[in-house]
Amino acid sequence: MDTAPTIKIAPNNSAFHILAADIFMGAINRVAAQDGPIRVVLPTGSTPLGLYRELIANHVHRRDLWDRVHYVALDDYAGLPPDDRRLFSNWLDRDILGPLSIPSSHRTIFNSAAPDPSAECARMDALLDQGGIDIAVLGLGTNGHIGFNEPGSAFDAHTRLIHLSVDSLEANAAYWGGMDHVPHTAYTLGLGHIMQARETILLVQGTHKADILQRMLHDPVSPALPATALRRMRNVTIIADRAAMSAAEPFPRT
Ligand code: GLP
């Protein structure tokens, strides 16, 4: 059965990031009410950067919470050395994990250079099976991917090595100055683990995401459009700007 996500619409860019930070901190506080680590998945991409700036600017003092946060990688390029600046683990280190002083012992990341990718995926899955995701912050690919779960990804998929679609290669080229600099293979957590997250926050901004957001909300729930999996998940909040919602009207505003 479908579960309607909560949709929050931000009127402008700064409201988007403040709203995202408020909702994220609310989720963190709810999970923190119980003992134990707070396992958080964070995305790369341009959309979450304002959230990260907001967390650093206004919430960095919550050491009581950050000391309990365990970051779990959502996805990363494969075959790169540990110091490659394109690695999502290094990107997030620069933009959020470092500034929040999340120690490396509290980071579960992919070993991009692992000699045996199957064993690397099994290692991640075993860690996730020991303790699932508490809060998944996600972005939406222009082709409807979640992490690097590209169209066609099964909802019970495990962690795996994938070949990036042309859409994803083109979208990622923007981060690294052209297609020549985008690795063609990547690791991604599977939807099977992502869908078990206790709370999920999906960040969507821009007119270039309007069509895919509309389809995510209204197309049949299917691996053909991996983001429709969020309609089968509990406690999902979509934070969108008006541009991203421009194709989805009319829609109940909350
Ligand atoms: C990449 C990442 C995704 C992310 C997506 C959206 O493909 N693998 O996890 O959600 O980009 O990026 P942006 O926010 O730049 O649109």
Side-chain angles (χ1 to χ4, degrees):
M1 206 180 81
D2 283 16
T3 326
T6 301
I7 301 178
K8 303 275 188 190
I9 303 174
N12 58 51
N13 202 37
S14 72
F16 181 93
H17 304 311
I18 292 168
L19 185 60
D22 284 351
I23 289 172
F24 178 75
M25 292 307 295
I28 291 258
N29 276 295
R30 274 189 294 282
V31 175
Q34 291 174 16
D35 288 344
I38 304 167
R39 295 189 185 85
V40 177
V41 159
L42 297 171
T44 52
S46 53
T47 316
L49 296 181
L51 161 65
Y52 299 156
R53 283 194 297 270
E54 186 64 26
L55 292 176
I56 294 161
N58 293 317
H59 301 277
V60 73
H61 62 282
R62 293 299 307 271
R63 264 308 0 125
D64 56 321
L65 298 175
W66 306 129
D67 284 346
R68 292 177 55 195
V69 163
H70 288 231
Y71 157 73
V72 179
L74 172 63
D75 51 13
D76 214 329
Y77 298 125
L80 300 181
D83 60 350
D84 193 299
R85 66 184 310 279
R86 292 169 295 177
L87 281 176
F88 293 166
S89 57
N90 291 335
W91 176 342
L92 290 170
D93 175 61
R94 293 188 292 272
D95 281 350
I96 184 71
L97 301 174
L100 292 182
S101 302
I102 308 294
S104 54
S105 58
H106 286 193
R107 302 183 194 187
T108 299
I109 64 174
F110 289 100
N111 174 10
S112 180
D116 180 349
S118 305
E120 178 61 8
C121 294
R123 182 184 71 83
M124 281 302 256
D125 279 340
L127 290 169
L128 285 162
D129 288 341
Q130 281 167 26
I133 300 163
D134 292 306
I135 303 167
V137 183
L138 303 171
L140 178 62
T142 49
N143 63 354
H145 74 214
I146 292 293
F148 274 134
N149 287 281
E150 299 282 29
S153 296
F155 287 179
D156 61 356
H158 289 189
T159 302
R160 64 208 185 284
L161 187 72
I162 51 104
H163 291 273
L164 295 185
S165 66
V166 174
D167 282 340
S168 294
L169 288 171
E170 284 173 356
N172 280 247
Y175 310 143
W176 311 119
M179 286 286 254
D180 292 349
H181 305 288
V182 185
H184 285 220
T185 53
Y187 289 101
T188 187
L189 298 190
L191 289 172
H193 281 114
I194 295 170
M195 287 180 75
Q196 299 305 317
R198 289 167 67 181
E199 299 204 28
T200 295
I201 300 167
L202 179 74
L203 303 174
V204 195
Q205 267 193 305
T207 46
H208 66 300
K209 298 280 179 76
D211 286 343
I212 197 67
L213 178 57
Q214 154 76 2
R215 291 187 50 212
M216 178 203 148
L217 293 170
H218 298 293
D219 274 14
V221 174
S222 156
L225 208 171
T228 58
L230 275 77
R231 286 162 45 200
R232 294 274 164 80
M233 291 163 60
R234 57 188 163 160
N235 303 326
V236 174
T237 303
I238 299 173
I239 305 173
D241 64 4
R242 285 183 174 150
M245 286 300 286
S246 58
E249 304 287 0
F251 216 86
R253 289 167 187 253
T254 54

